[in-house]
Structure formats: structure tokens, C-alpha cells
Amino acid sequence: MDGVVTKFLEGRVSILRDDITVLNVDAIVNAANESLLGGGGVDGAIHRAAGPELLEACRSLGGAKTGDAKITPGFALEAAYVIHAVGPVWHGGDHGEAELLRGCYVRALELASRHDVRRIAFPCISTGVYGYPIEPAAEIAQQAVRHWLEHEAGIEQVVFCCFSDHDLETYCRVASRVLS
Ligand code: AR6
């Protein structure tokens, strides 16, 4: 892993800066679009690292609605599974974006639990091409994960995998109030 790992909630939540495709966890979450047929950003990186079988598997899923998620194997990835979550496009915040973003974290955690995933890593869903501001997105992500870990058994470790120093700093600042 790349650089410093900061831990919260008695070590059950880690925040780090890395390429999510190299993480040694049971499942990585993809920031996908409704087609689930690949794209740029983290989606493109995951498809390249997993290999062409991932696209074949995604073709059979029939897409997913914004706020929902679907699961496939990880193929060439270290991770056994990829959970393809569709975050909302940011339209200013008055179009249900927060609830949709929260929904895709919860759906991803539900799917992970059903597949006996113990360790799962999330990218900063919706905060790239989809334009969701990083600070409120981090707050929603961390509140959803905290609530899950406090109420459900199964998942032991959650990694928030940031891709830039700025995102990492923001996640750590938000965690000092949401996860401490
Ligand atoms: N590892 C971890 N995080 C990454 C990586 C990586 N290898 N690459 C980028 N990120 P984005 P979105 C970060 O744009 O906003 C795609 O085309 C990136 O810095 O990937 O949900 C899909 O097909 C940012 O913090 O996803 C959709 O059409 C975060 O991942 C659309 O983009 C999310 O940025 C989804 O947009």
C-alpha cells in the first residue's frame, strides 16, 4: 500500500491513498455508470486490471440504476469480487444526490455481506467525472459505513481508497468527526 494508512473505529476502517486495483481485499467497489459496461476513471482502471472477462460478466447484468450496485467476480484482480456501484451525477445537491450516494454504499455493503466478504475497499464514488464535492461525499460514505459496522456482523475491514492527496486529507478530516 502507498504511504500512510490512517485507522479509525478500532482499526476496522482504514483511509489510504492508492490505486484500488492493487489492493489485497476480498472485494473492491467500482464507481460505475448505469450501463455497467465500463468507462474512464476508476472504472477503466478496474476493467484493465481485471481483464476482458470482467466486461463479459458485466454484459449479463443488464445495467443498474443510480443508487444501486451489482456484483461480479474479480477475475485477474487480487480481489475475489468487484461490486459495481452507480453513484449519482452532481446537479447542485437538490436532486436527491445525497440519498442516492448513500444508497449505493449501502447496496454495496449488502452485496458484500451476502458473499461473505470480510474486507472491502471503496473509491470516492461520484467525486470524479460525476462531480460530487469531495467533503459531503466523504461524510455520506463514512456515515453509511459506520452505521453498517455498528449494526451488522460479517464485514470486518473497510478501506477508503483515495486517489489524490487532497482527497486523502479531506477523508481524514471528515473521519476525525464522523469515525472518531
Ligand atoms: N484507484 C482508486 N481511485 C481512483 C482510481 C484508481 N485506480 N482512478 C480514479 N480514481 P471517477 P465517478 C478516483 O471519475 O465520479 C466513469 O467513466 C478518482 O480520482 O472514476 O463516480 C464511469 O464509467 C475519483 O476520486 O467516478 C462513470 O461513467 C474517484 O475515483 C463515471 O466515470 C471517482 O472518480 C463515474 O464517475
PDB file of all heavy atoms in Angstrom, residues 18-21 31-33 38-43 45 123-131 161 163 167, ligand 1:
ATOM      1  N   ASP A  18      -4.076   5.183  -2.716  1.00  0.00           N
ATOM      2  CA  ASP A  18      -3.528   4.074  -3.509  1.00  0.00           C
ATOM      3  C   ASP A  18      -4.364   3.893  -4.768  1.00  0.00           C
ATOM      4  O   ASP A  18      -5.403   4.549  -4.949  1.00  0.00           O
ATOM      5  CB  ASP A  18      -3.538   2.771  -2.677  1.00  0.00           C
ATOM      6  CG  ASP A  18      -2.381   1.851  -3.050  1.00  0.00           C
ATOM      7  OD1 ASP A  18      -1.897   1.925  -4.192  1.00  0.00           O
ATOM      8  OD2 ASP A  18      -1.972   1.044  -2.187  1.00  0.00           O
ATOM      9  N   ASP A  19      -3.900   2.994  -5.607  1.00  0.00           N
ATOM     10  CA  ASP A  19      -4.651   2.525  -6.766  1.00  0.00           C
ATOM     11  C   ASP A  19      -5.483   1.342  -6.270  1.00  0.00           C
ATOM     12  O   ASP A  19      -4.939   0.329  -5.814  1.00  0.00           O
ATOM     13  CB  ASP A  19      -3.647   2.088  -7.838  1.00  0.00           C
ATOM     14  CG  ASP A  19      -4.298   1.422  -9.029  1.00  0.00           C
ATOM     15  OD1 ASP A  19      -5.527   1.201  -9.017  1.00  0.00           O
ATOM     16  OD2 ASP A  19      -3.562   1.106  -9.973  1.00  0.00           O
ATOM     17  N   ILE A  20      -6.804   1.462  -6.347  1.00  0.00           N
ATOM     18  CA  ILE A  20      -7.669   0.431  -5.746  1.00  0.00           C
ATOM     19  C   ILE A  20      -7.468  -0.937  -6.392  1.00  0.00           C
ATOM     20  O   ILE A  20      -7.721  -1.969  -5.769  1.00  0.00           O
ATOM     21  CB  ILE A  20      -9.154   0.886  -5.794  1.00  0.00           C
ATOM     22  CG1 ILE A  20      -9.983   0.144  -4.750  1.00  0.00           C
ATOM     23  CG2 ILE A  20      -9.743   0.723  -7.196  1.00  0.00           C
ATOM     24  CD1 ILE A  20     -11.362   0.741  -4.517  1.00  0.00           C
ATOM     25  N   THR A  21      -6.992  -0.954  -7.632  1.00  0.00           N
ATOM     26  CA  THR A  21      -6.875  -2.242  -8.345  1.00  0.00           C
ATOM     27  C   THR A  21      -5.781  -3.146  -7.760  1.00  0.00           C
ATOM     28  O   THR A  21      -5.771  -4.327  -8.061  1.00  0.00           O
ATOM     29  CB  THR A  21      -6.584  -2.038  -9.852  1.00  0.00           C
ATOM     30  OG1 THR A  21      -5.300  -1.429 -10.013  1.00  0.00           O
ATOM     31  CG2 THR A  21      -7.650  -1.193 -10.508  1.00  0.00           C
ATOM     32  N   ALA A  31     -16.744   2.565  -9.221  1.00  0.00           N
ATOM     33  CA  ALA A  31     -17.641   3.711  -9.460  1.00  0.00           C
ATOM     34  C   ALA A  31     -18.076   3.627 -10.917  1.00  0.00           C
ATOM     35  O   ALA A  31     -17.421   4.159 -11.807  1.00  0.00           O
ATOM     36  CB  ALA A  31     -16.914   5.023  -9.172  1.00  0.00           C
ATOM     37  N   ALA A  32     -19.174   2.915 -11.139  1.00  0.00           N
ATOM     38  CA  ALA A  32     -19.608   2.573 -12.497  1.00  0.00           C
ATOM     39  C   ALA A  32     -20.675   3.552 -12.987  1.00  0.00           C
ATOM     40  O   ALA A  32     -21.053   4.492 -12.291  1.00  0.00           O
ATOM     41  CB  ALA A  32     -20.157   1.152 -12.497  1.00  0.00           C
ATOM     42  N   ASN A  33     -21.159   3.333 -14.203  1.00  0.00           N
ATOM     43  CA  ASN A  33     -22.328   4.078 -14.704  1.00  0.00           C
ATOM     44  C   ASN A  33     -23.452   3.071 -14.925  1.00  0.00           C
ATOM     45  O   ASN A  33     -23.252   1.854 -14.799  1.00  0.00           O
ATOM     46  CB  ASN A  33     -21.985   4.848 -15.980  1.00  0.00           C
ATOM     47  CG  ASN A  33     -21.469   3.937 -17.074  1.00  0.00           C
ATOM     48  OD1 ASN A  33     -22.167   3.020 -17.505  1.00  0.00           O
ATOM     49  ND2 ASN A  33     -20.243   4.152 -17.520  1.00  0.00           N
ATOM     50  N   GLY A  38     -18.323  -0.358 -18.388  1.00  0.00           N
ATOM     51  CA  GLY A  38     -17.004   0.258 -18.361  1.00  0.00           C
ATOM     52  C   GLY A  38     -17.058   1.734 -18.688  1.00  0.00           C
ATOM     53  O   GLY A  38     -18.107   2.286 -19.024  1.00  0.00           O
ATOM     54  N   GLY A  39     -15.904   2.387 -18.521  1.00  0.00           N
ATOM     55  CA  GLY A  39     -15.815   3.817 -18.749  1.00  0.00           C
ATOM     56  C   GLY A  39     -14.419   4.293 -18.423  1.00  0.00           C
ATOM     57  O   GLY A  39     -13.462   3.521 -18.528  1.00  0.00           O
ATOM     58  N   GLY A  40     -14.298   5.547 -17.999  1.00  0.00           N
ATOM     59  CA  GLY A  40     -12.983   6.085 -17.646  1.00  0.00           C
ATOM     60  C   GLY A  40     -12.740   5.970 -16.155  1.00  0.00           C
ATOM     61  O   GLY A  40     -13.356   5.153 -15.479  1.00  0.00           O
ATOM     62  N   GLY A  41     -11.828   6.785 -15.625  1.00  0.00           N
ATOM     63  CA  GLY A  41     -11.565   6.855 -14.190  1.00  0.00           C
ATOM     64  C   GLY A  41     -11.278   5.501 -13.562  1.00  0.00           C
ATOM     65  O   GLY A  41     -10.617   4.646 -14.152  1.00  0.00           O
ATOM     66  N   VAL A  42     -11.811   5.315 -12.373  1.00  0.00           N
ATOM     67  CA  VAL A  42     -11.544   4.063 -11.651  1.00  0.00           C
ATOM     68  C   VAL A  42     -12.178   2.867 -12.373  1.00  0.00           C
ATOM     69  O   VAL A  42     -11.651   1.746 -12.343  1.00  0.00           O
ATOM     70  CB  VAL A  42     -11.982   4.191 -10.170  1.00  0.00           C
ATOM     71  CG1 VAL A  42     -13.476   4.257 -10.010  1.00  0.00           C
ATOM     72  CG2 VAL A  42     -11.386   3.087  -9.327  1.00  0.00           C
ATOM     73  N   ASP A  43     -13.295   3.121 -13.052  1.00  0.00           N
ATOM     74  CA  ASP A  43     -13.984   2.069 -13.811  1.00  0.00           C
ATOM     75  C   ASP A  43     -13.044   1.503 -14.894  1.00  0.00           C
ATOM     76  O   ASP A  43     -12.848   0.273 -15.019  1.00  0.00           O
ATOM     77  CB  ASP A  43     -15.241   2.691 -14.442  1.00  0.00           C
ATOM     78  CG  ASP A  43     -16.252   1.692 -14.941  1.00  0.00           C
ATOM     79  OD1 ASP A  43     -16.008   0.482 -14.836  1.00  0.00           O
ATOM     80  OD2 ASP A  43     -17.312   2.139 -15.451  1.00  0.00           O
ATOM     81  N   ALA A  45      -9.794   1.730 -14.988  1.00  0.00           N
ATOM     82  CA  ALA A  45      -8.636   1.088 -14.353  1.00  0.00           C
ATOM     83  C   ALA A  45      -8.990  -0.329 -13.891  1.00  0.00           C
ATOM     84  O   ALA A  45      -8.210  -1.272 -14.056  1.00  0.00           O
ATOM     85  CB  ALA A  45      -8.153   1.940 -13.183  1.00  0.00           C
ATOM     86  N   PRO A 123     -13.666   3.273  -3.564  1.00  0.00           N
ATOM     87  CA  PRO A 123     -13.098   4.529  -4.062  1.00  0.00           C
ATOM     88  C   PRO A 123     -14.017   5.670  -3.646  1.00  0.00           C
ATOM     89  O   PRO A 123     -15.052   5.431  -3.011  1.00  0.00           O
ATOM     90  CB  PRO A 123     -13.136   4.324  -5.588  1.00  0.00           C
ATOM     91  CG  PRO A 123     -14.400   3.543  -5.800  1.00  0.00           C
ATOM     92  CD  PRO A 123     -14.548   2.645  -4.567  1.00  0.00           C
ATOM     93  N   CYS A 124     -13.668   6.893  -4.016  1.00  0.00           N
ATOM     94  CA  CYS A 124     -14.509   8.059  -3.672  1.00  0.00           C
ATOM     95  C   CYS A 124     -15.585   8.179  -4.760  1.00  0.00           C
ATOM     96  O   CYS A 124     -15.472   8.989  -5.690  1.00  0.00           O
ATOM     97  CB  CYS A 124     -13.670   9.324  -3.611  1.00  0.00           C
ATOM     98  SG  CYS A 124     -12.211   9.182  -2.546  1.00  0.00           S
ATOM     99  N   ILE A 125     -16.637   7.375  -4.617  1.00  0.00           N
ATOM    100  CA  ILE A 125     -17.680   7.252  -5.649  1.00  0.00           C
ATOM    101  C   ILE A 125     -18.301   8.618  -5.968  1.00  0.00           C
ATOM    102  O   ILE A 125     -18.586   9.407  -5.051  1.00  0.00           O
ATOM    103  CB  ILE A 125     -18.791   6.282  -5.170  1.00  0.00           C
ATOM    104  CG1 ILE A 125     -18.217   4.885  -4.930  1.00  0.00           C
ATOM    105  CG2 ILE A 125     -19.947   6.220  -6.176  1.00  0.00           C
ATOM    106  CD1 ILE A 125     -19.194   3.927  -4.258  1.00  0.00           C
ATOM    107  N   SER A 126     -18.509   8.861  -7.240  1.00  0.00           N
ATOM    108  CA  SER A 126     -19.166  10.081  -7.774  1.00  0.00           C
ATOM    109  C   SER A 126     -18.318  11.348  -7.732  1.00  0.00           C
ATOM    110  O   SER A 126     -18.759  12.380  -8.237  1.00  0.00           O
ATOM    111  CB  SER A 126     -20.503  10.392  -7.072  1.00  0.00           C
ATOM    112  OG  SER A 126     -21.534   9.584  -7.583  1.00  0.00           O
ATOM    113  N   THR A 127     -17.126  11.300  -7.131  1.00  0.00           N
ATOM    114  CA  THR A 127     -16.385  12.568  -6.926  1.00  0.00           C
ATOM    115  C   THR A 127     -15.419  12.905  -8.063  1.00  0.00           C
ATOM    116  O   THR A 127     -14.706  13.895  -7.987  1.00  0.00           O
ATOM    117  CB  THR A 127     -15.587  12.535  -5.604  1.00  0.00           C
ATOM    118  OG1 THR A 127     -14.550  11.549  -5.722  1.00  0.00           O
ATOM    119  CG2 THR A 127     -16.484  12.209  -4.430  1.00  0.00           C
ATOM    120  N   GLY A 128     -15.387  12.081  -9.118  1.00  0.00           N
ATOM    121  CA  GLY A 128     -14.543  12.374 -10.278  1.00  0.00           C
ATOM    122  C   GLY A 128     -15.378  12.985 -11.383  1.00  0.00           C
ATOM    123  O   GLY A 128     -15.893  14.102 -11.244  1.00  0.00           O
ATOM    124  N   VAL A 129     -15.565  12.239 -12.459  1.00  0.00           N
ATOM    125  CA  VAL A 129     -16.354  12.702 -13.605  1.00  0.00           C
ATOM    126  C   VAL A 129     -17.754  13.155 -13.177  1.00  0.00           C
ATOM    127  O   VAL A 129     -18.293  14.114 -13.740  1.00  0.00           O
ATOM    128  CB  VAL A 129     -16.481  11.554 -14.636  1.00  0.00           C
ATOM    129  CG1 VAL A 129     -17.415  11.933 -15.777  1.00  0.00           C
ATOM    130  CG2 VAL A 129     -15.116  11.192 -15.192  1.00  0.00           C
ATOM    131  N   TYR A 130     -18.352  12.512 -12.182  1.00  0.00           N
ATOM    132  CA  TYR A 130     -19.726  12.831 -11.781  1.00  0.00           C
ATOM    133  C   TYR A 130     -19.831  14.087 -10.916  1.00  0.00           C
ATOM    134  O   TYR A 130     -20.941  14.543 -10.614  1.00  0.00           O
ATOM    135  CB  TYR A 130     -20.375  11.629 -11.089  1.00  0.00           C
ATOM    136  CG  TYR A 130     -20.890  10.569 -12.058  1.00  0.00           C
ATOM    137  CD1 TYR A 130     -20.711  10.691 -13.434  1.00  0.00           C
ATOM    138  CD2 TYR A 130     -21.562   9.440 -11.590  1.00  0.00           C
ATOM    139  CE1 TYR A 130     -21.177   9.729 -14.322  1.00  0.00           C
ATOM    140  CE2 TYR A 130     -22.044   8.466 -12.477  1.00  0.00           C
ATOM    141  CZ  TYR A 130     -21.849   8.626 -13.831  1.00  0.00           C
ATOM    142  OH  TYR A 130     -22.317   7.667 -14.704  1.00  0.00           O
ATOM    143  N   GLY A 131     -18.686  14.643 -10.480  1.00  0.00           N
ATOM    144  CA  GLY A 131     -18.657  15.997  -9.932  1.00  0.00           C
ATOM    145  C   GLY A 131     -19.176  16.212  -8.523  1.00  0.00           C
ATOM    146  O   GLY A 131     -19.398  17.361  -8.111  1.00  0.00           O
ATOM    147  N   CYS A 161     -10.242   4.092  -0.213  1.00  0.00           N
ATOM    148  CA  CYS A 161      -9.058   4.213  -1.064  1.00  0.00           C
ATOM    149  C   CYS A 161      -9.133   5.514  -1.855  1.00  0.00           C
ATOM    150  O   CYS A 161      -9.873   5.603  -2.837  1.00  0.00           O
ATOM    151  CB  CYS A 161      -8.989   3.006  -1.989  1.00  0.00           C
ATOM    152  SG  CYS A 161      -7.545   3.032  -3.057  1.00  0.00           S
ATOM    153  N   PHE A 163      -7.444   8.623  -4.166  1.00  0.00           N
ATOM    154  CA  PHE A 163      -6.509   8.581  -5.286  1.00  0.00           C
ATOM    155  C   PHE A 163      -5.638   9.830  -5.348  1.00  0.00           C
ATOM    156  O   PHE A 163      -4.704   9.881  -6.127  1.00  0.00           O
ATOM    157  CB  PHE A 163      -7.305   8.413  -6.589  1.00  0.00           C
ATOM    158  CG  PHE A 163      -6.515   7.839  -7.718  1.00  0.00           C
ATOM    159  CD1 PHE A 163      -5.810   6.658  -7.572  1.00  0.00           C
ATOM    160  CD2 PHE A 163      -6.483   8.471  -8.956  1.00  0.00           C
ATOM    161  CE1 PHE A 163      -5.085   6.112  -8.625  1.00  0.00           C
ATOM    162  CE2 PHE A 163      -5.765   7.930 -10.026  1.00  0.00           C
ATOM    163  CZ  PHE A 163      -5.061   6.754  -9.851  1.00  0.00           C
ATOM    164  N   ASP A 167      -7.886  14.378  -1.671  1.00  0.00           N
ATOM    165  CA  ASP A 167      -8.996  13.515  -1.230  1.00  0.00           C
ATOM    166  C   ASP A 167      -8.638  12.824   0.089  1.00  0.00           C
ATOM    167  O   ASP A 167      -9.482  12.702   0.988  1.00  0.00           O
ATOM    168  CB  ASP A 167      -9.317  12.470  -2.301  1.00  0.00           C
ATOM    169  CG  ASP A 167      -9.964  13.084  -3.532  1.00  0.00           C
ATOM    170  OD1 ASP A 167     -10.307  14.291  -3.497  1.00  0.00           O
ATOM    171  OD2 ASP A 167     -10.110  12.374  -4.545  1.00  0.00           O
TER     172      ASP A 167
HETATM  173  N1  AR6 B   1      -7.939   3.791  -7.798  1.00  0.00           N
HETATM  174  C1  AR6 B   1      -8.660   4.491  -6.890  1.00  0.00           C
HETATM  175  N2  AR6 B   1      -9.358   5.605  -7.191  1.00  0.00           N
HETATM  176  C2  AR6 B   1      -9.303   6.029  -8.462  1.00  0.00           C
HETATM  177  C3  AR6 B   1      -8.586   5.354  -9.482  1.00  0.00           C
HETATM  178  C4  AR6 B   1      -7.872   4.177  -9.097  1.00  0.00           C
HETATM  179  N3  AR6 B   1      -7.165   3.459  -9.969  1.00  0.00           N
HETATM  180  N4  AR6 B   1      -8.750   6.023 -10.652  1.00  0.00           N
HETATM  181  C5  AR6 B   1      -9.540   7.102 -10.383  1.00  0.00           C
HETATM  182  N5  AR6 B   1      -9.866   7.106  -9.068  1.00  0.00           N
HETATM  183  P1  AR6 B   1     -14.483   8.503 -11.345  1.00  0.00           P
HETATM  184  P2  AR6 B   1     -17.362   8.893 -10.818  1.00  0.00           P
HETATM  185  C6  AR6 B   1     -10.698   8.051  -8.307  1.00  0.00           C
HETATM  186  O1  AR6 B   1     -14.474   9.621 -12.340  1.00  0.00           O
HETATM  187  O2  AR6 B   1     -17.150  10.315 -10.458  1.00  0.00           O
HETATM  188  C7  AR6 B   1     -16.551   6.507 -15.313  1.00  0.00           C
HETATM  189  O3  AR6 B   1     -16.351   6.807 -16.660  1.00  0.00           O
HETATM  190  C8  AR6 B   1     -10.893   9.442  -8.851  1.00  0.00           C
HETATM  191  O4  AR6 B   1      -9.748  10.250  -8.566  1.00  0.00           O
HETATM  192  O5  AR6 B   1     -13.746   7.267 -11.660  1.00  0.00           O
HETATM  193  O6  AR6 B   1     -18.239   8.052  -9.934  1.00  0.00           O
HETATM  194  C9  AR6 B   1     -17.737   5.593 -15.082  1.00  0.00           C
HETATM  195  O7  AR6 B   1     -17.896   4.670 -16.144  1.00  0.00           O
HETATM  196  C10 AR6 B   1     -12.107   9.874  -8.038  1.00  0.00           C
HETATM  197  O8  AR6 B   1     -11.697  10.285  -6.733  1.00  0.00           O
HETATM  198  O9  AR6 B   1     -16.013   8.042 -10.994  1.00  0.00           O
HETATM  199  C11 AR6 B   1     -18.875   6.560 -14.998  1.00  0.00           C
HETATM  200  O10 AR6 B   1     -19.343   6.930 -16.294  1.00  0.00           O
HETATM  201  C12 AR6 B   1     -12.916   8.593  -7.880  1.00  0.00           C
HETATM  202  O11 AR6 B   1     -12.030   7.535  -8.266  1.00  0.00           O
HETATM  203  C13 AR6 B   1     -18.273   7.766 -14.324  1.00  0.00           C
HETATM  204  O12 AR6 B   1     -16.871   7.715 -14.622  1.00  0.00           O
HETATM  205  C14 AR6 B   1     -14.175   8.525  -8.719  1.00  0.00           C
HETATM  206  O13 AR6 B   1     -13.944   9.131  -9.986  1.00  0.00           O
HETATM  207  C15 AR6 B   1     -18.431   7.704 -12.841  1.00  0.00           C
HETATM  208  O14 AR6 B   1     -17.970   8.896 -12.280  1.00  0.00           O
END
